[in-house]
Coordinates of all heavy atoms in Angstrom, one line a residue:
L1 N 78.4 -88.1 -11.6 CA 78.5 -88.4 -10.1 C 78.7 -89.9 -9.9 O 77.9 -90.7 -10.4 CB 77.3 -87.9 -9.4 CG 77.3 -88.2 -7.9 CD1 78.5 -87.6 -7.2 CD2 76.0 -87.7 -7.3
H2 N 79.8 -90.2 -9.3 CA 80.1 -91.6 -9.0 C 80.2 -91.7 -7.5 O 81.1 -91.1 -6.8 CB 81.4 -92.0 -9.6 CG 81.4 -91.9 -11.1 ND1 81.0 -93.0 -11.9 CD2 81.6 -90.9 -12.0 CE1 81.0 -92.6 -13.2 NE2 81.4 -91.3 -13.2
L3 N 79.3 -92.5 -6.9 CA 79.3 -92.7 -5.4 C 80.2 -93.7 -5.0 O 80.2 -94.9 -5.4 CB 77.8 -93.0 -5.0 CG 76.8 -92.1 -5.5 CD1 75.4 -92.6 -5.1 CD2 77.0 -90.7 -5.1
G4 N 81.1 -93.4 -4.0 CA 82.1 -94.3 -3.5 C 81.9 -94.4 -2.0 O 81.2 -93.7 -1.3
V5 N 82.5 -95.4 -1.4 CA 82.5 -95.7 0.0 C 83.1 -94.6 0.8 O 82.6 -94.2 1.9 CB 83.2 -97.1 0.3 CG1 83.2 -97.3 1.8 CG2 82.4 -98.2 -0.4
A6 N 84.2 -94.0 0.3 CA 84.9 -93.0 1.1 C 84.8 -91.6 0.5 O 85.3 -90.7 1.1 CB 86.4 -93.4 1.1
N7 N 84.1 -91.5 -0.6 CA 83.9 -90.1 -1.2 C 82.9 -90.2 -2.4 O 82.5 -91.3 -2.8 CB 85.3 -89.6 -1.8 CG 85.8 -90.4 -2.9 OD1 86.2 -91.6 -2.8 ND2 85.7 -89.8 -4.1
Y8 N 82.5 -89.0 -2.8 CA 81.8 -88.9 -4.1 C 82.7 -88.3 -5.1 O 83.4 -87.3 -4.8 CB 80.6 -87.9 -3.9 CG 79.5 -88.4 -3.0 CD1 78.7 -87.6 -2.3 CD2 79.3 -89.8 -2.7 CE1 77.7 -88.0 -1.5 CE2 78.3 -90.2 -1.9 CZ 77.5 -89.3 -1.3 OH 76.5 -89.8 -0.4
C9 N 82.7 -88.9 -6.3 CA 83.6 -88.4 -7.4 C 82.7 -87.6 -8.4 O 81.8 -88.2 -9.0 CB 84.3 -89.6 -8.1 SG 85.2 -89.1 -9.5
W10 N 83.0 -86.4 -8.6 CA 82.3 -85.5 -9.5 C 83.2 -85.5 -10.8 O 84.0 -84.6 -10.9 CB 82.1 -84.1 -9.0 CG 81.2 -84.2 -7.8 CD1 81.6 -84.3 -6.5 CD2 79.8 -84.1 -7.8 NE1 80.5 -84.3 -5.7 CE2 79.4 -84.2 -6.4 CE3 78.8 -83.9 -8.8 CZ2 78.1 -84.1 -6.0 CZ3 77.5 -83.9 -8.4 CH2 77.1 -84.0 -7.0
F11 N 83.0 -86.5 -11.6 CA 83.9 -86.7 -12.8 C 83.5 -85.8 -13.9 O 83.0 -86.2 -15.0 CB 83.8 -88.2 -13.2 CG 84.9 -88.6 -14.1 CD1 86.2 -88.8 -13.6 CD2 84.7 -88.9 -15.4 CE1 87.2 -89.2 -14.5 CE2 85.7 -89.4 -16.3 CZ 86.9 -89.5 -15.8
I12 N 83.6 -84.5 -13.7 CA 83.2 -83.5 -14.6 C 84.3 -83.2 -15.7 O 84.0 -83.1 -16.8 CB 82.8 -82.2 -13.9 CG1 81.6 -82.5 -13.0 CG2 82.5 -81.0 -14.8 CD1 81.3 -81.4 -12.0
D13 N 85.5 -83.1 -15.2 CA 86.6 -82.8 -16.1 C 87.7 -83.9 -16.0 O 88.5 -83.9 -15.0 CB 87.2 -81.4 -15.7 CG 88.3 -81.0 -16.7 OD1 88.7 -81.8 -17.6 OD2 88.8 -79.9 -16.5
P14 N 87.7 -84.9 -16.9 CA 88.7 -86.0 -16.8 C 90.1 -85.5 -16.7 O 91.0 -86.1 -16.1 CB 88.4 -86.8 -18.1 CG 87.0 -86.5 -18.4 CD 86.8 -85.1 -18.0
S15 N 90.4 -84.3 -17.3 CA 91.8 -83.8 -17.2 C 92.3 -83.5 -15.8 O 93.4 -83.3 -15.6 CB 92.0 -82.6 -18.2 OG 91.3 -81.5 -17.7
K16 N 91.3 -83.3 -14.9 CA 91.6 -83.0 -13.5 C 91.6 -84.2 -12.6 O 91.9 -84.1 -11.4 CB 90.6 -81.9 -13.0 CG 90.8 -80.6 -13.7 CD 89.8 -79.6 -13.1 CE 90.0 -78.2 -13.7 NZ 89.0 -77.2 -13.2
A17 N 91.2 -85.3 -13.1 CA 91.0 -86.5 -12.3 C 92.4 -87.1 -12.0 O 93.2 -87.6 -12.8 CB 90.2 -87.6 -13.1
L18 N 92.7 -87.1 -10.7 CA 94.0 -87.6 -10.2 C 94.2 -89.1 -10.5 O 95.3 -89.5 -10.9 CB 94.1 -87.3 -8.7 CG 95.4 -87.8 -8.1 CD1 96.6 -87.1 -8.7 CD2 95.4 -87.6 -6.6
C19 N 93.1 -89.8 -10.4 CA 93.2 -91.3 -10.7 C 93.7 -91.5 -12.1 O 94.5 -92.4 -12.4 CB 91.9 -92.0 -10.5 SG 90.5 -91.4 -11.5
L20 N 93.2 -90.8 -13.1 CA 93.6 -90.9 -14.5 C 95.1 -90.5 -14.7 O 95.8 -91.1 -15.5 CB 92.7 -90.1 -15.4 CG 91.2 -90.5 -15.4 CD1 90.5 -89.7 -16.5 CD2 91.0 -92.0 -15.5
K21 N 95.5 -89.5 -14.0 CA 96.9 -89.0 -14.1 C 97.8 -90.1 -13.5 O 98.8 -90.4 -14.1 CB 97.1 -87.7 -13.3 CG 96.4 -86.5 -14.0 CD 96.6 -85.3 -13.2 CE 95.9 -84.1 -13.8 NZ 95.9 -82.9 -13.0
L22 N 97.4 -90.7 -12.3 CA 98.2 -91.7 -11.7 C 98.3 -92.9 -12.6 O 99.4 -93.6 -12.6 CB 97.7 -92.0 -10.3 CG 97.7 -91.0 -9.3 CD1 97.0 -91.4 -8.0 CD2 99.2 -90.6 -8.9
A23 N 97.3 -93.3 -13.2 CA 97.2 -94.5 -14.1 C 97.8 -94.3 -15.5 O 98.0 -95.2 -16.2 CB 95.8 -95.0 -14.2
G24 N 98.0 -93.0 -15.8 CA 98.5 -92.7 -17.2 C 97.5 -92.9 -18.3 O 97.8 -93.3 -19.4
T25 N 96.2 -92.8 -17.9 CA 95.1 -93.0 -18.9 C 94.2 -91.7 -19.0 O 93.1 -91.7 -18.5 CB 94.2 -94.2 -18.4 OG1 93.7 -93.9 -17.1 CG2 95.0 -95.5 -18.5
P26 N 94.8 -90.6 -19.5 CA 94.0 -89.4 -19.6 C 92.8 -89.4 -20.4 O 92.0 -88.5 -20.3 CB 95.1 -88.4 -20.1 CG 96.0 -89.2 -20.9 CD 96.1 -90.6 -20.2
N27 N 92.6 -90.4 -21.3 CA 91.5 -90.4 -22.2 C 90.3 -91.3 -21.7 O 89.4 -91.5 -22.4 CB 91.9 -90.8 -23.6 CG 92.9 -89.8 -24.2 OD1 92.8 -88.6 -24.0 ND2 93.9 -90.4 -24.9
A28 N 90.4 -91.8 -20.5 CA 89.4 -92.6 -19.9 C 88.1 -91.8 -19.8 O 88.1 -90.6 -19.6 CB 89.8 -93.2 -18.6
T29 N 87.0 -92.5 -19.9 CA 85.7 -91.9 -19.8 C 85.0 -92.0 -18.4 O 83.9 -91.5 -18.2 CB 84.7 -92.4 -20.9 OG1 84.6 -93.8 -20.7 CG2 85.3 -92.1 -22.3
K30 N 85.6 -92.8 -17.6 CA 85.1 -93.1 -16.2 C 86.3 -93.0 -15.2 O 87.4 -93.3 -15.6 CB 84.4 -94.4 -16.1 CG 83.1 -94.5 -16.9 CD 82.4 -95.8 -16.7 CE 81.2 -95.9 -17.6 NZ 80.5 -97.1 -17.4
P31 N 86.0 -92.6 -14.0 CA 87.1 -92.6 -13.0 C 87.5 -94.0 -12.7 O 86.8 -95.0 -12.8 CB 86.4 -91.9 -11.8 CG 85.0 -92.2 -11.9 CD 84.7 -92.2 -13.4
L32 N 88.7 -94.1 -12.2 CA 89.3 -95.4 -11.8 C 89.2 -95.5 -10.2 O 90.1 -95.1 -9.6 CB 90.7 -95.5 -12.3 CG 90.9 -95.4 -13.8 CD1 92.4 -95.3 -14.1 CD2 90.2 -96.5 -14.5
A33 N 88.1 -96.0 -9.7 CA 87.9 -96.0 -8.3 C 89.0 -96.7 -7.5 O 89.3 -96.2 -6.4 CB 86.5 -96.7 -8.0
G34 N 89.6 -97.7 -8.0 CA 90.7 -98.4 -7.4 C 92.0 -97.5 -7.2 O 92.8 -97.8 -6.4
M35 N 92.1 -96.5 -8.0 CA 93.2 -95.6 -8.0 C 92.9 -94.3 -7.3 O 93.8 -93.4 -7.3 CB 93.7 -95.3 -9.4 CG 94.1 -96.5 -10.3 SD 95.8 -97.0 -10.0 CE 96.8 -95.6 -10.3
C36 N 91.7 -94.2 -6.8 CA 91.3 -92.9 -6.2 C 92.1 -92.5 -4.9 O 92.3 -93.3 -4.0 CB 89.8 -93.0 -5.8 SG 89.2 -91.4 -5.2
D37 N 92.6 -91.3 -4.9 CA 93.2 -90.7 -3.8 C 92.3 -89.4 -3.5 O 92.7 -88.3 -3.8 CB 94.6 -90.4 -4.0 CG 95.3 -89.8 -2.8 OD1 94.6 -89.5 -1.7 OD2 96.6 -89.6 -2.8

């Protein structure tokens, strides 16, 4: 669970994380809050 100003990110499955897809970093271990949609 990553708490954000505009949402809570439940980073359970990195393969489903839109931020990682947008950044082209599918192997990241944490969400990219700056890329969050």
Side-chain angles (χ1 to χ4, degrees):
L1 176 60
H2 299 269
L3 307 178
V5 175
N7 66 291
Y8 293 156
C9 174
W10 297 89
F11 197 70
I12 296 169
D13 184 354
S15 70
K16 293 182 181 178
L18 181 60
C19 62
L20 300 186
K21 290 177 184 177
L22 293 173
T25 56
N27 298 323
T29 59
K30 292 183 181 179
L32 304 171
M35 300 277 306
C36 183
D37 184 352

